[in-house]
Amino acid sequence: MSDILDKTDLRFSELGASSPLEIKLLFEELLGRAKEEARSISGPSELESFRVRWIGRKNSIFSKIQDNWLVSAAPDQRRSIGSFFNSYKGFVQQIVDSCEGAIEVLEMKDPPRGKSGFDLSLPGVIRPIGTHHLIRQVLQEIEDIFFSIGFSVVEGPEIETPYYNFEALNIPEFHPVRDDMDTFYLELLKSAPGPLLLRTHTSPVQIRTMEKRQPPVRVIVPGKVYRRDNPDATHSFMFHQIEGLAVDSDITFCDFTGTIDYFVRRFFGESVKTRFRPSYFPFTEPSVEFDVSCVFCGGSGTAKSGGTCGKCKGSGWIELFGAGMVDPAVYGFVNYDPKKVSGFAFGIGIDRLAMLRYGIDDIQAFSQNDVRFLKQFP
Ligand code: PHE
């Protein structure tokens, strides 16, 4: 019997090998055969059959050697057969490992086609590049308009103390906006130094800015604000504002109206008309509510169809935002001298502006993440 593989079926005593050298030669011959067979491996499934055939747990060539040669050998020979067995089994394992590596590399260069692998030459999944959310787009547009007349951006925390959100803005304790109904208070440990809340407007950043800077101050403050409103088409528990604040030694009501007018015309177009109505905010005096002629009916109050314009309810005007000259009492909280400085402030609802500009009638659309909506504003 000359074939080395047939010899694996024999008992050790039938092999005619007894010296370590003879035993080693037997294993060498086996390894030579394994290398020869490995040369024709060209894919993962052939490699797996090779592995099972040579070093698999059951009925493999090496398991037969273990059963037939090792077990039947005389105790004094078992030791050297055992050590050759382990080394040569290790060599075959190395062949398997290196073939595996080679196959992986080959697959990368020339991927198999079919269900078992990937075809790297196919076009990939195209992930469309996203765009800015409409709120962000409108925000940037507003920022650009104010940048063009010398304002810069500052930001402040969304979690505030009642001092910044109310007190320093001249909103005394009994004022209705301090009702729990309107404000989210944080649930804190009893040991917390004081209450905290989610800011209900961006105005606290007026105080934070004036605490840090001396006049002239000319800033806008974009950000999220929170109110305990029930959600509907025009209310959301979170929305966006841009606060504006300009304080200097000689700022007049004219500067104020001129600035607002400039902004509105840049944003809505030259043809819009603007108006102020007296209003009330504890931190501005005088306070105004700023209106723009209805962008849907051109200020006529009549819809294109002939009926009453639904957007302005026939009035021809749309309420845009609150503003006013900074109340001198506020300066007292930031150590500005009210005799030397004056200024104006405004609070623009970004969501509201976006809704007016693009004819969106539900504020909830901004936060529902419906791509069919978002895609309309690339
Ligand atoms: N903070 C006010 C609000 O949210 C708006 C405002 C800002 C009014 C600045 C006047 C001046 O309603």
Side-chain angles (χ1 to χ4, degrees):
M1 196 180 287
S2 58
D3 192 317
I4 183 67
L5 292 183
D6 293 336
K7 288 185 185 167
T8 58
D9 289 324
L10 302 177
R11 291 163 63 81
F12 185 71
S13 55
E14 297 167 321
L15 288 172
S18 53
S19 72
L21 181 64
E22 282 168 324
I23 299 168
K24 185 175 180 237
L25 283 174
L26 282 174
F27 278 104
E28 271 299 322
E29 212 179 325
L30 272 170
L31 184 62
R33 175 63 78 91
K35 283 182 181 163
E36 203 178 296
E37 282 185 21
R39 241 175 255 141
S40 57
I41 294 172
S42 64
S45 56
E46 283 158 332
L47 175 61
E48 179 56 10
S49 349
F50 174 86
R51 190 192 63 76
V52 170
R53 169 171 156 80
W54 279 88
I55 51 176
R57 223 171 260 232
K58 278 189 190 144
N59 298 325
S60 69
I61 292 168
F62 271 78
S63 71
K64 269 199 279 177
I65 293 173
Q66 180 163 14
D67 294 344
N68 298 332
W69 296 2
L70 257 179
V71 174
S72 68
D76 56 328
Q77 285 167 327
R78 205 174 282 162
R79 182 183 286 256
S80 61
I81 299 172
S83 93
F84 285 127
F85 176 88
N86 288 334
S87 317
Y88 279 83
K89 193 176 174 195
F91 295 150
V92 177
Q93 180 65 53
Q94 279 174 20
I95 296 176
V96 171
D97 292 346
S98 62
C99 283
E100 204 166 61
I103 287 168
E104 267 169 33
V105 172
L106 282 174
E107 275 188 342
M108 274 190 262
K109 279 204 202 116
D110 186 15
R113 274 137 243 257
K115 53 184 179 219
S116 61
F118 334 58
D119 180 351
L120 291 181
S121 64
L122 284 172
V125 179
I126 296 165
R127 293 189 194 283
I129 296 171
T131 54
H132 282 147
H133 191 280
L134 182 59
I135 294 292
R136 165 83 29 204
Q137 293 180 30
V138 171
L139 166 65
Q140 284 179 350
E141 203 179 315
I142 299 172
E143 282 180 352
D144 285 343
I145 297 172
F146 283 105
F147 286 161
S148 74
I149 47 174
F151 282 76
S152 56
V153 170
V154 293
E155 287 187 72
E158 286 170 30
I159 294 176
E160 266 298 4
T161 61
Y163 176 78
Y164 284 107
N165 199 77
F166 298 129
E167 261 139 60
L169 286 162
N170 200 30
I171 304 176
E173 191 126 33
F174 52 80
H175 196 283
V177 300
R178 289 186 76 154
D179 283 2
D180 279 0
M181 282 305 289
D182 296 325
T183 309
F184 289 108
Y185 282 87
L186 271 66
E187 237 171 60
L188 298 171
L189 293 176
K190 285 215 173 64
S191 57
L196 289 175
L197 49 82
L198 296 181
R199 67 179 178 192
T200 55
H201 50 180
T202 42
S203 303
V205 192
Q206 286 189 32
I207 306 299
R208 290 183 176 277
T209 307
M210 289 189 281
E211 274 179 349
K212 279 189 225 121
R213 299 190 193 179
Q214 287 304 306
V217 167
R218 232 177 281 135
V219 293
I220 48 170
V221 187
K224 292 185 167 74
V225 301
Y226 302 83
R227 290 186 197 175
R228 285 186 63 173
D229 284 328
N230 289 323
D232 63 22
T234 53
H235 294 86
S236 163
F237 64 86
M238 184 281 292
F239 56 100
H240 303 80
Q241 286 189 333
I242 271 204
E243 189 83 6
L245 174 71
V247 182
D248 206 344
S249 50
D250 50 7
I251 288 189
T252 64
F253 199 84
C254 267
D255 297 316
F256 167 46
T257 54
T259 306
I260 302 284
D261 223 56
Y262 170 79
F263 163 70
V264 173
R265 278 175 213 289
R266 283 277 309 265
F267 189 81
F268 285 110
E270 283 302 322
S271 57
V272 293
K273 288 198 254 346
T274 54
R275 76 171 185 190
F276 292 100
R277 279 179 296 115
S279 183
Y280 170 73
F281 296 102
F283 41 96
T284 46
E285 182 60 37
S287 301
V288 300
E289 204 67 57
F290 191 82
D291 294 348
V292 63
S293 54
C294 179
V295 288
F296 299 100
C297 65
S300 66
T302 312
K304 281 199 189 89
S305 59
T308 310
C309 172
K311 302 287 179 177
C312 64
K313 300 190 180 71
S315 74
W317 294 98
I318 284 182
E319 194 181 305
L320 262 196
F321 54 85
M325 299 302 285
V326 177
D327 193 307
V330 172
Y331 295 131
F333 288 96
V334 295
N335 287 327
Y336 278 14
D337 184 348
K339 290 196 192 75
K340 290 199 183 126
V341 295
S342 57
F344 61 83
F346 52 86
I348 305 174
I350 303 175
D351 308 65
R352 186 168 163 70
L353 244 58
M355 288 167 78
L356 287 173
R357 162 75 89 71
Y358 294 98
I360 296 160
D361 46 24
D362 186 358
I363 195 173
Q364 306 297 332
F366 292 131
S367 49
Q368 278 160 347
N369 264 347
D370 186 334
V371 278
R372 289 168 303 179
F373 169 75
L374 298 172
K375 265 186 174 168
Q376 294 172 48
F377 309 102

